[in-house]
Amino acid sequence: MVDERMPPPTTDVSIVIPAYNESDSLPELLGRIDEVLRAAGFSYEVWVVDDGSRDGTFAVVSEIAKTRPEIHGVALRRNFGKSAALSAGFARARGRLVVTMDADLQDDPAEIPLLLAEIAKGSDLVSGWKQDRQDGFVKNKSSKVFNWVTSLATGLRLHDFNCGLKAYRAEVIQAVRVYGEMHRFIPAMAHLQGFRVTEVRVRHHRRRHGRTKYGPNRFLNGFLDLLTLLFLNSRSTSPLHFFGRVGLFMFVVGALINGYFLGEWILGHGLRVRPLLLLGVVLLIMAVQFVSLGLVAELIVSGRHPERDYHVRSEI
Ligand code: UDP
Ligand code: MG
């Protein structure tokens, strides 16, 4: 569905590039993008989002933009992270198709036509799958685990969720909300919303200038974000269905246990504090807590003005 608030696309392809201290790579990258897209016959625009760089990244982009009107830059006030940078670029992209790529020349612009061809075949989102990855051993291995777990949890089988190089139909970027560090899960979110997501193998290069912006924390954050994604996805419309179920289960077990003790008491047996009695009481208290938590969450969700809870494929 095309969002009626968005103006119609004004170009074929928007290329969105998040850049944090990438001044050394950008001139070559922007030059190669032009070669590739011109040769492939696409009209295009580029949005470089300077994510609070301190190395003159924005000045480099501004200089290039002077002679190339299709190049645009946005400078964020400080470093907000890759997800925020992407979403700033998405909000400005006016292309019928949108391509994201890293600024550091690890992604190869020569692959862009390949991704776009895959979209022409019917995909809504095409993700790169880095071949022969040029990152360290630990990063490669932990990323394997990450991809495996994310595939299992979301039902979307991809080898490389976090590849910077991806192509989208504009509808997809209007539908997913990228915040925090959720950029790793754009394909998963799109899949959960019913978009068709596929992958193609792409080349990957070693970083030549600057250094990686992510430490080992990325994987811990990644798994926590996955939990958030799964939780939001399945429960957002009715949190009480989740918390209420857990609460009711505890209530039933707690009531059975304490009913047994009530029976004992009525029959005249003295009550002593036993582990089982304690368990029954704890379960009843927790049941009340869970149900109230569910109700509070319902309040939050109902006041949240979600734009929509569903995604339309087409209308006539
Ligand atoms: N990036 C960004 N903001 C950040 C961190 C990274 O815009 O806070 C950009 C960075 O400039 C690059 C891309 O995101 O274009 C991927 O980052 P990086 O190359 O450091 O990640 P890696 O390739 O090591 O996974
Ligand atoms: Mg990189």
Side-chain angles (χ1 to χ4, degrees), residues 113-135:
L114 219 75
L115 298 184
L116 298 181
E118 195 63 22
I119 292 210
K121 282 191 222 155
S123 300
D124 297 309
L125 190 169
V126 181
S127 183
W129 169 15
K130 300 187 281 282
Q131 302 293 303
D132 190 16
R133 260 187 91 164
Q134 302 293 324
D135 293 313

Side-chain angles (χ1 to χ4, degrees), residues 18 20 22 51 79 102-104 106 139 207 212-213 218:
Y20 180 41
E22 308 282 8
D51 186 17
N79 179 238
D102 288 354
D104 55 7
Q106 288 195 272
K139 187 161 155 186
R207 205 184 230 286
T212 178
K213 311 303 183 305
R218 67 160 69 197

Side-chain angles (χ1 to χ4, degrees), residues 14-23 25-27 29-31 33 44-53 56-62 64-65 68 70-76 84-86 88-90 92-93 99 101-104:
S14 296
I15 298 185
V16 173
I17 306 176
Y20 180 41
N21 296 334
E22 308 282 8
S23 58
S25 309
L26 279 168
L29 178 66
L30 293 175
I33 286 175
Y44 75 97
E45 61 171 8
V46 177
W47 285 94
V48 179
V49 184
D50 170 12
D51 186 17
S53 303
T57 289
F58 196 66
V60 169
V61 178
S62 312
I64 300 173
R68 291 179 55 190
E70 72 281 8
I71 307 273
H72 305 276
V74 194
L76 306 186
L86 284 173
F90 287 165
R92 287 162 178 79
V99 171
M101 63 192 308
D102 288 354
D104 55 7

Side-chain angles (χ1 to χ4, degrees), residues 41-308:
F42 288 106
S43 67
Y44 75 97
E45 61 171 8
V46 177
W47 285 94
V48 179
V49 184
D50 170 12
D51 186 17
S53 303
R54 288 174 303 264
D55 70 338
T57 289
F58 196 66
V60 169
V61 178
S62 312
E63 195 53 40
I64 300 173
K66 278 185 190 154
T67 53
R68 291 179 55 190
E70 72 281 8
I71 307 273
H72 305 276
V74 194
L76 306 186
R77 278 192 196 280
R78 64 166 171 83
N79 179 238
F80 285 93
K82 188 174 176 182
S83 288
L86 284 173
S87 95
F90 287 165
R92 287 162 178 79
R94 293 289 168 259
R96 188 168 50 80
L97 304 170
V98 177
V99 171
T100 57
M101 63 192 308
D102 288 354
D104 55 7
L105 291 167
Q106 288 195 272
D107 299 330
D108 197 326
E111 309 281 7
I112 294 176
L114 219 75
L115 298 184
L116 298 181
E118 195 63 22
I119 292 210
K121 282 191 222 155
S123 300
D124 297 309
L125 190 169
V126 181
S127 183
W129 169 15
K130 300 187 281 282
Q131 302 293 303
D132 190 16
R133 260 187 91 164
Q134 302 293 324
D135 293 313
F137 177 80
V138 175
K139 187 161 155 186
N140 284 353
K141 289 295 165 211
S142 32
S143 143
K144 265 222 166 79
V145 176
F146 174 81
N147 286 311
W148 186 76
V149 174
T150 309
S151 289
L152 206 68
T154 60
L156 171 66
R157 299 236 168 273
L158 283 191
H159 293 87
D160 193 1
F161 279 85
N162 197 19
C163 183
L165 185 56
K166 292 189 172 70
Y168 313 76
R169 282 185 209 283
E171 295 95 295
V172 180
I173 61 157
Q174 287 161 29
V176 297
R177 211 168 78 76
V178 196
Y179 67 97
E181 289 184 29
M182 283 298 189
H183 61 269
R184 300 194 183 94
F185 295 107
I186 298 178
M189 289 190 272
H191 168 75
L192 293 172
Q193 291 177 11
F195 288 108
R196 203 176 119 87
V197 179
T198 52
E199 64 184 354
V200 296
R201 295 163 195 257
V202 297
R203 261 167 303 172
H204 190 233
H205 301 288
R206 195 176 289 281
R207 205 184 230 286
R208 276 184 285 145
H209 312 284
R211 44 196 289 266
T212 178
K213 311 303 183 305
Y214 293 100
N217 245 342
R218 67 160 69 197
F219 292 103
L220 182 57
N221 290 342
F223 284 114
L224 294 176
D225 286 340
L226 178 62
L227 272 187
T228 309
L229 172 71
L230 292 177
F231 185 76
L232 284 182
N233 181 62
S234 50
R235 316 290 169 217
S236 66
T237 45
S238 188
L240 190 57
H241 286 186
F242 174 71
F243 290 109
R245 267 192 180 79
V246 178
L248 282 180
F249 174 74
M250 290 175 165
F251 177 81
V252 169
V253 178
L256 283 176
I257 292 175
N258 285 9
Y260 160 74
F261 283 108
L262 180 66
E264 290 272 285
W265 182 70
I266 289 174
L267 292 177
H269 301 293
L271 286 188
R272 275 161 293 111
V273 178
R274 291 167 49 184
L276 191 61
L277 178 64
L278 282 179
L279 179 68
V281 173
V282 167
L283 282 174
L284 287 180
I285 295 174
M286 284 174 59
V288 175
Q289 304 252 292
F290 264 84
V291 173
S292 341
L293 187 62
L295 287 170
V296 172
E298 289 281 351
L299 277 182
I300 295 174
V301 170
S302 64
R304 200 175 56 181
H305 311 299
E307 282 156 38
R308 50 185 190 266

